[in-house]
Amino acid sequence: MKFELFAIMATLGFGVGIPSSGFASSVTVGSWNNANCAPFNCSVNGGVPVHYQQIYSASALGGQLTFDTVTFYNALSGGHPEVVNAHYQISFFQTTSALHTNEPIPDPGSFHKFFDGELGGPIVGSSYSIVGNHYSYRGRDNLVMDVVVTNPANVPNDGRNSYFQADYSGSTTTRSLDIGFGLVADNVGLVTTFSGVAAVPEPSAWAMMVLGFTGVGFLAYRRRNRALPSPRPDFQLLSEATERSPSGVLSVRD
């Protein structure tokens, strides 16, 4: 009995407890109290490559997180804001560097390329989302978003210049920025939402789940068969149901 209970628990543990490749999650870092254009559109770009890093504090992220979408929020109520047409390479990695780090943080070896391609065009609606490769944040260290913008279009400082909601408090996110005129590091950080998709188990997880349920079914079948009494031979039933009288005539017992 103890062995069977252990087997069922083990089977469920291996079959059902397999983690999937991702899980639904969403967290927003930063509170809107100002606006900023970097790194997606600033009049100072003028075709100059941009290197932008934003640090998000581990406490603001609130633990482990898997995401494939980052969203920024339009701070303009008028005009025709645009994301500057350019090639964007967006990556994420985790770091022990603190907020307010005033120099580019080197890749510690966990560099993860999230998006690598062209972006640009009008910002439609109140937000701007970028969908990329899944990234799993461990939930221990601060998170760095590293953005390299190359071949940006020359955008004048007019109604096309985009401004996104930003947090200037410096308590949950900060940035360092080099737009060709030297490094700038300050308390500014774009309000950012990290969100993921619904969990989709990997093929190996599906296989283990099938094996797990099969194992549970087999153990239940074995226990059921043990509970059923085995049939007794007919001659044994006959000997119990009848007795021979002294005259040699069989008589059936009541």
Side-chain angles (χ1 to χ4, degrees):
M1 178 65 181
K2 290 182 178 179
F3 172 78
E4 290 184 359
L5 181 60
F6 172 79
I8 291 174
M9 293 177 65
T11 305
L12 285 173
F14 283 106
V16 182
I18 299 295
S20 61
S21 58
F23 54 89
S25 55
S26 178
V27 62
T28 299
V29 178
S31 299
W32 181 21
N33 52 43
N34 215 310
N36 203 269
C37 56
F40 297 109
N41 193 337
C42 282
S43 59
V44 294
N45 276 344
V48 177
V50 173
H51 186 198
Y52 176 94
Q53 285 189 340
Q54 183 166 336
I55 309 175
Y56 305 88
S57 70
S59 59
L61 289 165
Q64 295 184 1
L65 178 70
T66 295
F67 61 89
D68 65 358
T69 304
V70 291
T71 300
F72 308 96
Y73 298 92
N74 186 13
L76 297 177
S77 57
H80 304 282
E82 298 180 2
V83 169
V84 65
N85 290 291
H87 185 94
Y88 292 79
Q89 181 176 296
I90 304 173
S91 304
F92 287 94
F93 60 89
Q94 293 164 80
T95 181
T96 56
S97 297
L99 299 180
H100 313 287
T101 299
N102 59 359
E103 60 184 0
I105 300 171
D107 169 28
S110 60
F111 199 80
H112 175 85
K113 188 177 291 184
F114 177 79
F115 179 87
D116 189 359
E118 303 296 318
L119 292 174
I123 301 172
V124 179
S126 60
S127 62
Y128 186 77
S129 295
I130 302 171
V131 179
N133 299 314
H134 279 88
Y135 180 74
S136 293
Y137 168 68
R138 295 191 306 267
R140 294 195 297 269
D141 301 324
N142 292 336
L143 179 66
V144 176
M145 179 178 69
D146 185 279
V147 183
V148 177
V149 186
T150 53
N151 300 319
N154 190 357
V155 180
N157 190 14
D158 58 17
R160 290 173 292 171
N161 202 351
S162 64
Y163 280 88
F164 289 97
Q165 295 180 14
D167 188 333
Y168 275 49
S169 68
S171 60
T172 59
T173 182
T174 60
R175 71 174 182 179
S176 63
L177 172 67
D178 187 350
I179 56 176
F181 303 102
L183 181 71
V184 174
D186 51 32
N187 292 342
V188 178
L190 299 182
V191 176
T192 309
T193 295
F194 303 91
S195 55
V197 295
V200 178
E202 297 175 349
S204 59
W206 279 115
M208 291 302 294
M209 289 172 68
V210 171
L211 288 175
F213 286 117
T214 301
V216 171
F218 175 72
L219 291 174
Y221 172 77
R222 284 188 59 189
R223 293 189 63 187
R224 179 176 177 274
N225 282 351
R226 287 182 182 179
L228 294 175
S230 57
R232 290 178 291 180
D234 291 343
F235 71 87
Q236 184 179 352
L237 293 174
L238 181 62
S239 63
E240 291 181 357
T242 63
E243 64 178 5
R244 187 175 297 278
S245 66
S247 61
V249 179
L250 291 175
S251 62
V252 180
R253 292 184 297 183
D254 294 332

